[in-house]
Amino acid sequence: MTFGIRRSQNGGVYVSVETLTTIIGIVGVLASFASAFAWLIRRMDARFDSFDAKFGARIDGVETKLGARIDGVETKLEARIDAVEARLTERIDGIETRLTERIDGVETRLTERIDGVETQLTARMTAVERELVEVKIAIARLEGPPPRLVPVR
């Protein structure tokens, strides 16, 4: 079975005008949807860029203000800390001076007392030595000299 081809037909395939119109219409609608979507995306990008610029400017402003405030607080704290450090140093130096004076006084008194005790001990020791010598002499007199002719057993 062979089909005859007419010149009005395109290679033996027949497409009606309605079908062609429908296909071209669908392609046109799809193209318009694609272009509308592209326009929407471009418009949203522009809005996001402007929002980013505004938001970035506000953040930079806040960052600058916060930096200035933090620097001010830091300066005030450093001044207060330096003042407290100076006062504490003065108080510690005063306490150290008073303690040194007290320690020197106590040291002087202890030295005097130790010297007094040492003098008393020296005097007592001298007296004990004299008495000990006298006791040795008395014991030697009582015992007498050892006999020379008596053999030692």
Side-chain angles (χ1 to χ4, degrees), residues 5-96:
I5 297 175
R6 288 193 239 154
R7 289 187 170 207
S8 64
Q9 293 179 347
N10 186 6
V13 178
Y14 176 73
V15 178
S16 68
V17 174
E18 292 84 18
T19 304
L20 283 176
T21 305
T22 304
I23 291 174
I24 291 173
I26 289 174
V27 168
V29 167
L30 288 176
S32 65
F33 277 146
S35 64
F37 186 70
W39 175 82
L40 181 66
I41 294 296
R42 208 172 323 132
R43 179 118 169 126
M44 287 175 63
D45 281 345
R47 294 284 286 205
F48 286 147
D49 289 342
S50 70
F51 178 75
D52 283 345
K54 288 178 186 177
F55 194 65
R58 287 186 74 180
I59 287 176
D60 291 342
V62 169
E63 184 178 0
T64 303
K65 288 178 186 177
L66 281 176
R69 285 183 72 182
I70 289 171
D71 290 342
V73 169
E74 184 179 8
T75 304
K76 288 178 185 177
L77 283 176
E78 285 177 358
R80 287 181 73 181
I81 288 171
D82 291 342
V84 168
E85 183 180 8
R87 285 193 310 241
L88 283 175
T89 302
E90 290 174 11
R91 286 183 73 182
I92 289 170
D93 290 344
I95 290 171
E96 185 178 11

